[in-house]
Amino acid sequence: MNDTGNFVLVAENSETVWESFSNPKDTLLPTQIIGIGGQLCSRNSPKDFSLGQFQFRMLSDGSAVLNTVNLPTREAYDTYYITGTRDSQNKSNSGHQVVYDKSGYLYLLKKSGDVFYISSPKDVVAFPASEYYHKATLNFDGVLTLSCHLKSSSSANATWNQIKAIPNDICVAVHGDLGTGPCGHNSICTLNEDQRPSCKCPIGYSILDPTDEYSGCKPEFLPSCNGASSGDHFELRPLPNTDWPTSDYELFKPYSVEDCKKSCLQDCLSAVVVYNSEEDSCWKKKLPLSNGREVRTLSTTVFFKFSNDSRSGNKPDLPGSNKEEEDHTLVIVISVLLGSSVFVNFLLVSVMCLAFFFYSKRKYFVYPNESHVKSNLRHFTYKELVEATNGFREESGRGSCGVVYKGETDQSSPIAVKILDRMFQDNDKEFQAEVNVIGQTHHKNLVRLTGYCDEQQHRLLVYEFMRNGSLASFLFGGLRPSWYQRVQIAFGIARGLVYLHEECTTQIIHCDIKPQNVLLDDYYNARISDFGLAKLLALNQSHTKTNIRGTKGYVAPDWFRSAPVSVKVDVYSFGVLLLEIICCRRNVLDMNDNEEEKVILTDWAYDCYVDGRLEKLVENDMEVMSDIKMVERFVMVAIWCLQEDPSVRPTMKKVMLMLEGIVQVSAPPTHCLSTSVIN
């Protein structure tokens, strides 16, 4: 490893066999050069190091460009930045190399020796290389950034400071007809002060991947083209200063704004219309919407379609609309009653008014500071949590019955706030169960509940924040975690479940053990989260009856029988999760891209065990291959957990002891393995 940061493999004769500077990924260091055909490739997301959709390339015509790509085939799409150093008249004046020199200047060197600066020298002159480290990185969001880091800084919180961002506005720069910008389809890109983008979903849409705000948005409704007018089921809302420059498929001109809106409502393919009052033009756009952005100088009006079906749960509050409908209904009823006796009418109308009043006001009879929960945990007001989360701006995930947002308390401690937004019939009971019971649990492998809000109609839970995200992102990202880390995570999950099943005052069945519900703390310790689906048992109970709960692929067959379920449903789910930890792959894969025998991991692992070819489960993972005995022990434990008969499955206490090697693992049955229902 040279002082420049170049990692070099050298043969015995001192000849360079391979060097990292000639094989860049997403970052350049001073003295590094990109020649013709060389490129930087962004990562896919903040935590996914697989290849992303952005490239910085040195073309053979002499120009350096930033462009998007097709992820499956890596085909280059339109450029959104170009140096323009191609000279067809005088090829000696065309670009030749991209150079990141030792002073931190990024420029394109022409064949003639002339220099075209990609970053101006004045950008970095205030950060001399004698005092600062420098780097240039093509980020996952498509922004090429030049950054510096003070060499003399001894602070643990010292960070890289951005010097320059290319392009100046990534939200506006990426506007090609193919692909999408940094925010994914149907999303809206907003430029932050640091010239980096943030993304949000419009009304009626939700984020595709709750752990990645840049993954795009999915519609909460599915427009139907069955011949009926979609205007009966959809409404339009204006979005100020917003545009999707592509996705046009029809233009009406001249056209009024009302005709434009009506045309969108009556066309099930139309998701958005853009009306230009100066030209009396109406542009109709279809899904998916690409490269959405907010631009304050826009003079057009955008109307966005969303479902108004109350059964869908996607209709936003429209001030006065419900009241008008109710008032209209009340007038009709009173008119009918006027034909009856005055005294009877008076009684009936009085009763109806009282009933209407109590019905419309029922949820506000809880005083603001009155709580249904008796707990020693901190009671937050709703206003405090709104301020702590900056208006619930940064979504960090989705739990069993609500969305989770990142926030910060007055002590500057990060928190995770879950809003219970799915109104189950027994919602209040579940809320009180989480606060009263889960609030009393204290274990190093459980996410700790620190507070709650029980104010009027608001139900929120406050947890400690886990900086390293979910186990799903950790296992299934671009880089495979070390075998040691995976083993420790498996131990941690097992210990957490033992605590829930056997060591709590009130026994708890989690009911939804899966990688998304295991979080990782600062030291990558496993912390079981999301007890919203937990079924609580009294001390004298061993079974309980409830509706099917959990996630397909992890659900034990016990749920589909008339017999009561027990803690053994968690043992089954842990067996599936243990195989995923061993193999670093999801339980169910797409059959189109994989051999049929490998589609369902539990089946494939069982076949590999029976056939004596466990190395197939961990091929290309040399670290795991060197510890194949432990792999065999873990697979045997998983097969025990996956037995169809719950009475045959071991307890989590025994599972933990078998994993740790304290209890010997006997050969599991070879005929009673059950595969969780996945359809």
Side-chain angles (χ1 to χ4, degrees):
M1 177 70 75
N2 295 335
D3 290 342
T4 58
N6 189 17
F7 182 68
V8 185
L9 297 180
V10 183
E12 290 184 356
N13 59 2
S14 299
E15 180 181 351
T16 298
V17 177
W18 183 92
E19 59 179 333
S20 61
F21 270 23
S22 298
N23 299 271
K25 297 303 179 185
D26 65 350
T27 299
L28 293 177
L29 297 178
T31 72
Q32 196 166 357
I33 295 173
I34 297 180
I36 298 292
Q39 64 182 15
L40 296 180
C41 296
S42 70
R43 69 176 74 169
N44 196 35
S45 71
K47 296 182 180 180
D48 182 356
F49 287 82
S50 59
L51 294 178
Q53 63 169 331
F54 300 99
Q55 288 180 338
F56 177 62
R57 298 188 296 156
M58 182 67 215
L59 303 181
S60 57
D61 66 5
S63 291
V65 300
L66 286 167
N67 61 264
T68 57
V69 298
N70 179 303
L71 283 178
T73 65
R74 308 301 297 173
E75 176 186 0
Y77 284 158
D78 293 344
T79 62
Y80 57 92
Y81 168 83
I82 186 169
T83 57
T85 47
R86 173 192 177 190
D87 193 335
S88 57
Q89 303 275 328
N90 181 10
K91 292 189 177 181
S92 65
N93 199 41
S94 294
H96 174 55
Q97 292 177 330
V98 173
V99 179
Y100 194 31
D101 75 4
K102 62 181 181 181
S103 299
Y105 301 155
L106 183 64
Y107 58 84
L108 192 144
L109 181 64
K110 299 181 179 181
K111 294 178 181 178
S112 62
D114 292 339
V115 170
F116 174 87
Y117 282 101
I118 297 175
S119 66
S120 171
K122 67 180 181 180
D123 292 328
V124 297
V125 68
F127 308 97
S130 59
E131 300 178 17
Y132 291 86
Y133 298 111
H134 289 262
K135 69 174 181 177
T137 300
L138 178 59
N139 296 280
F140 67 91
D141 52 22
V143 180
L144 180 65
T145 59
L146 275 66
S147 307
C148 67
H149 190 293
L150 188 62
K151 292 182 178 180
S152 60
S153 175
S154 59
S155 172
N157 297 322
T159 59
W160 287 86
N161 297 310
Q162 183 172 298
I163 301 174
K164 183 176 179 61
I166 305 170
N168 290 328
D169 189 342
I170 187 68
C171 295
V172 174
V174 182
H175 58 270
D177 293 334
L178 298 176
T180 183
C183 289
H185 287 302
N186 302 326
S187 187
I188 301 174
C189 178
T190 303
L191 196 69
N192 297 323
E193 293 182 358
D194 61 356
Q195 294 179 281
R196 301 290 295 279
S198 62
C199 308
K200 62 182 179 181
C201 294
I203 186 172
Y205 286 67
S206 61
I207 190 167
L208 192 61
D209 181 356
T211 64
D212 180 11
E213 72 167 290
Y214 303 91
S215 61
C217 303
K218 58 184 178 182
E220 299 286 359
F221 61 91
L222 293 175
S224 60
C225 294
N226 56 9
S229 173
S230 65
D232 297 333
H233 304 289
F234 297 93
E235 295 182 12
L236 294 177
R237 275 294 182 85
L239 288 178
N241 308 321
T242 304
D243 187 26
W244 283 267
T246 59
S247 306
D248 301 317
Y249 72 98
E250 201 158 18
L251 169 64
F252 297 130
K253 182 179 180 180
Y255 226 50
S256 70
V257 63
E258 292 303 321
D259 288 338
C260 187
K261 293 162 63 176
K262 183 178 179 181
S263 175
C264 181
L265 288 173
Q266 293 179 344
D267 184 352
C268 64
L269 295 179
S270 180
V272 167
V273 286
V274 180
Y275 185 75
N276 189 322
S277 58
E278 295 179 357
E279 302 176 358
D280 292 330
S281 60
C282 176
W283 295 88
K284 297 174 69 175
K285 297 178 182 288
K286 61 183 177 181
L287 298 174
L289 301 170
S290 297
N291 306 320
R293 77 283 302 273
E294 286 184 343
V295 182
R296 295 181 180 178
T297 57
L298 286 176
S299 59
T300 55
T301 303
V302 175
F303 295 96
F304 203 94
K305 182 191 288 184
F306 65 91
S307 172
N308 68 0
D309 189 348
S310 61
R311 291 170 296 178
S312 69
N314 295 323
K315 183 178 179 181
D317 293 334
L318 300 177
S321 61
N322 291 336
K323 184 178 184 301
E324 291 171 2
E325 293 177 1
E326 292 163 351
D327 290 346
H328 179 66
T329 302
L330 187 61
V331 169
I332 294 175
V333 173
I334 292 176
S335 299
V336 174
L337 291 174
L338 287 175
S340 305
S341 85
V342 175
F343 179 73
V344 173
N345 286 348
F346 177 78
L347 289 179
L348 289 176
V349 170
S350 299
V351 171
M352 289 176 61
C353 289
L354 285 173
F356 174 77
F357 176 80
F358 280 102
Y359 176 81
S360 61
K361 299 296 182 180
R362 67 192 185 283
K363 66 182 179 181
Y364 297 106
F365 285 152
V366 179
Y367 293 101
N369 295 323
E370 181 182 353
S371 172
H372 295 296
V373 179
K374 305 304 180 183
S375 172
N376 293 326
L377 298 171
R378 177 177 175 181
H379 176 249
F380 290 87
T381 65
Y382 184 70
K383 181 180 179 182
E384 286 177 324
L385 294 182
V386 170
E387 294 175 351
T389 58
N390 194 17
F392 303 107
R393 179 179 181 183
E394 184 177 348
E395 182 177 324
S396 63
R398 290 179 179 264
S400 60
C401 49
V403 184
V404 181
Y405 296 90
K406 183 180 179 181
E408 194 172 88
T409 64
D410 47 10
Q411 289 84 21
S412 299
S413 301
I415 56 174
V417 180
K418 181 167 73 172
I419 302 178
L420 300 184
D421 61 353
R422 299 183 187 177
M423 295 295 105
F424 294 118
Q425 186 176 3
D426 57 346
N427 185 276
D428 283 339
K429 293 181 180 178
E430 291 201 12
F431 177 78
Q432 294 177 43
E434 283 215 49
V435 174
N436 291 329
V437 179
I438 308 305
Q440 298 174 23
T441 60
H442 296 284
H443 192 274
K444 65 179 181 179
N445 294 116
L446 300 180
V447 176
R448 187 165 58 90
L449 184 68
T450 61
Y452 65 96
C453 173
D454 181 25
E455 180 179 305
Q456 295 184 358
Q457 75 273 29
H458 302 298
R459 301 289 184 273
L460 300 93
L461 299 173
V462 181
Y463 294 94
E464 55 182 335
F465 185 77
M466 299 289 106
R467 300 180 187 275
N468 284 315
S470 72
L471 178 59
S473 301
F474 188 64
L475 285 181
F476 311 136
L479 293 179
R480 179 174 293 179
S482 72
W483 177 235
Y484 173 79
Q485 282 182 309
R486 282 139 63 190
V487 168
Q488 296 306 312
I489 287 171
F491 288 166
I493 299 170
R495 292 168 186 148
L497 286 175
V498 170
Y499 175 81
L500 292 177
H501 291 179
E502 301 184 16
E503 299 173 7
C504 287
T505 304
T506 302
Q507 187 182 42
I508 299 172
I509 307 177
H510 187 283
C511 299
D512 199 20
I513 292 296
K514 59 182 179 179
Q516 292 79 2
N517 283 342
V518 177
L519 304 182
L520 303 175
D521 64 16
D522 292 357
Y523 304 99
Y524 291 91
N525 296 313
R527 308 282 288 272
I528 299 173
S529 70
D530 200 344
F531 297 92
L533 290 180
K535 189 67 179 181
L536 305 177
L537 297 179
L539 285 176
N540 60 350
Q541 286 182 290
S542 60
H543 299 76
T544 184
K545 288 186 177 181
T546 184
N547 295 327
I548 295 175
R549 301 184 177 205
T551 302
K552 61 182 180 181
Y554 303 89
V555 178
D558 318 15
W559 291 104
F560 303 94
R561 302 173 182 144
S562 58
V565 299
S566 69
V567 292
K568 294 296 184 69
V569 297
D570 284 349
V571 176
Y572 181 94
S573 301
F574 178 80
V576 179
L577 179 56
L578 181 58
L579 290 176
E580 291 181 318
I581 293 173
I582 296 170
C583 303
C584 278
R585 56 150 282 189
R586 300 181 188 276
N587 183 35
V588 182
L589 298 180
D590 188 347
M591 189 178 297
N592 296 328
D593 300 328
N594 299 275
E595 300 176 27
E596 186 174 352
E597 67 167 348
K598 298 181 180 180
V599 171
I600 301 178
L601 176 58
T602 50
D603 288 349
W604 183 45
Y606 174 75
D607 292 340
C608 289
Y609 169 74
V610 172
D611 297 341
R613 48 190 182 97
L614 288 177
E615 67 279 356
K616 291 292 184 181
L617 294 175
V618 292
E619 58 184 353
N620 302 323
D621 192 336
M622 301 308 297
E623 182 187 9
V624 182
M625 290 283 287
S626 64
D627 198 6
I628 198 68
K629 286 294 184 183
M630 179 177 283
V631 173
E632 181 180 14
R633 184 169 83 242
F634 276 33
V635 171
M636 291 170 66
V637 172
I639 293 175
W640 272 112
C641 294
L642 295 170
Q643 294 300 304
E644 183 172 359
D645 185 351
S647 65
V648 178
R649 295 174 212 150
T651 64
M652 278 309 305
K653 183 64 172 292
K654 188 172 182 180
V655 168
M656 182 183 70
L657 296 176
M658 289 192 295
L659 288 176
E660 295 176 342
I662 298 174
V663 171
Q664 185 175 0
V665 186
S666 58
T670 57
H671 60 282
C672 295
L673 183 68
S674 173
T675 299
S676 177
V677 174
I678 61 173
N679 295 321

